[in-house]
Amino acid sequence: MNRVIIVLVTLAFLGVPSAAKITGTTITVLQLNICHGGMAGCYRGDAVMAKAAEVIRSSKPQVLSVNEACSGDVDRLRPAMGPARALFVAARDLDGTPVLCRGSDQHYGNIVMVATAFAGLAEESGIYAAQYTAADGHRELRAWACLAAAHLSVCTTHLSADNAPTALAQCRDLMARVAGYPRPAVVAGDFNLRDHGSPSMRDCDPGGFSRRGDGNVQHVYASDDLSFGRTTKIDMMGSTDHPGWLVTLTAPSPG
């Protein structure tokens, strides 16, 4: 099927002001791929939810990106996150309908949460124009979700698993979009691209952003008005096939 389906939802995005200054502030970003949809071999049922909640509570992130989640996971993870604005975006089947988690009527996709002290009201989400529709994993069209403005603009995504050139095109599409958001800006997710390969994750790196990866396919981008600090891989104890990826960022104080 060569048809391309684009789904875009935008709420309260027009007239977004520039991001407020957050100089001297440390921001903790937690990236998780929890494999909770039930379609992949890494699925371990609800064991991952308990582990994810434990990691969120212990790391206390202001930004949380979760891939391969079910729509009901937002409410299950929110108590561990604390007061936060959340946005879920579903991956889509080739006919445009939401992908469902196994044995459930819940949608399958990605979650982004931002602590209320940093979160804005603007929401934007959708799927990519570039899709490898022949055999892309479980034939889902990959999605992205962004919470923009206020003190921080934040996006999450999960890119195509079976075709690296498609994943690269998707990455470039998202980063071009984020370049137009108020700064500071952070993008986290499972990009299914590594630093070494052809194409590689480095082929996506845009001007104005720096990046740190977990040595595999999970990465965090930060606009250049943020500085990277400590990075940590977190053992998820077999509950999923990806480690947690924890990154600290700092908005440098002037002078």
Side-chain angles (χ1 to χ4, degrees):
M1 180 181 294
N2 295 321
R3 182 172 58 166
V4 174
I5 305 166
I6 300 176
V7 178
L8 179 65
V9 178
T10 305
L11 298 176
F13 193 72
L14 294 179
V16 171
S18 296
K21 298 297 183 182
I22 55 172
T23 56
T25 300
T26 297
I27 301 166
T28 302
V29 180
L30 177 61
Q31 159 61 29
L32 298 173
N33 183 323
I34 61 174
C35 193
H36 199 221
M39 290 83 76
C42 53
Y43 178 64
R44 297 294 180 269
D46 279 352
V48 73
M49 297 304 296
K51 184 61 181 175
E54 173 191 321
V55 169
I56 294 166
R57 287 191 184 98
S58 63
S59 60
K60 298 179 174 62
Q62 286 78 47
V63 172
L64 175 65
S65 165
V66 186
N67 306 134
E68 296 194 45
C70 300
S71 50
D73 296 345
V74 174
D75 288 338
R76 297 179 67 180
L77 295 176
R78 192 186 292 275
M81 181 70 180
R85 186 168 182 85
L87 179 61
F88 175 88
V89 60
R92 299 275 164 170
D93 283 316
L94 298 187
D95 63 2
T97 59
V99 176
L100 299 181
C101 289
R102 185 173 71 179
S104 170
D105 60 358
Q106 294 184 33
H107 294 177
Y108 165 83
N110 306 308
I111 300 167
V112 59
M113 289 193 194
V114 181
T116 53
F118 297 95
L121 297 178
E123 300 180 354
E124 191 173 16
S125 62
I127 64 168
Y128 294 98
Q131 300 283 356
Y132 184 56
T133 57
D136 185 6
H138 298 279
R139 298 182 66 81
E140 79 265 18
L141 303 179
R142 300 295 172 112
W144 52 270
C146 298
L147 292 170
H151 296 287
L152 190 66
S153 296
V154 179
C155 299
T156 184
T157 194
H158 184 204
L159 303 186
S160 292
D162 294 332
N163 188 271
T166 298
L168 176 59
Q170 293 170 345
C171 181
R172 288 173 170 170
D173 180 287
L174 179 59
M175 295 311 297
R177 183 183 302 276
V178 176
Y181 286 163
R183 295 194 177 195
V186 173
V187 181
D190 179 346
F191 288 77
N192 276 309
L193 289 168
R194 295 166 175 81
D195 279 329
H196 302 286
S198 182
S200 77
M201 189 66 190
R202 294 172 181 170
D203 296 320
C204 183
D205 292 347
F209 285 83
S210 300
R211 176 178 54 84
R212 296 291 185 275
D214 69 349
N216 201 324
V217 295
Q218 295 182 112
H219 304 269
V220 172
Y221 277 107
S223 56
D224 285 349
D225 42 7
L226 297 171
S227 299
F228 279 95
R230 184 178 181 182
T231 60
T232 306
K233 284 201 289 188
I234 300 172
D235 187 354
M236 297 297 287
M237 305 301 291
S239 60
T240 178
D241 63 338
H242 293 73
W245 183 229
L246 187 68
V247 172
T248 59
L249 299 166
T250 302
S253 298

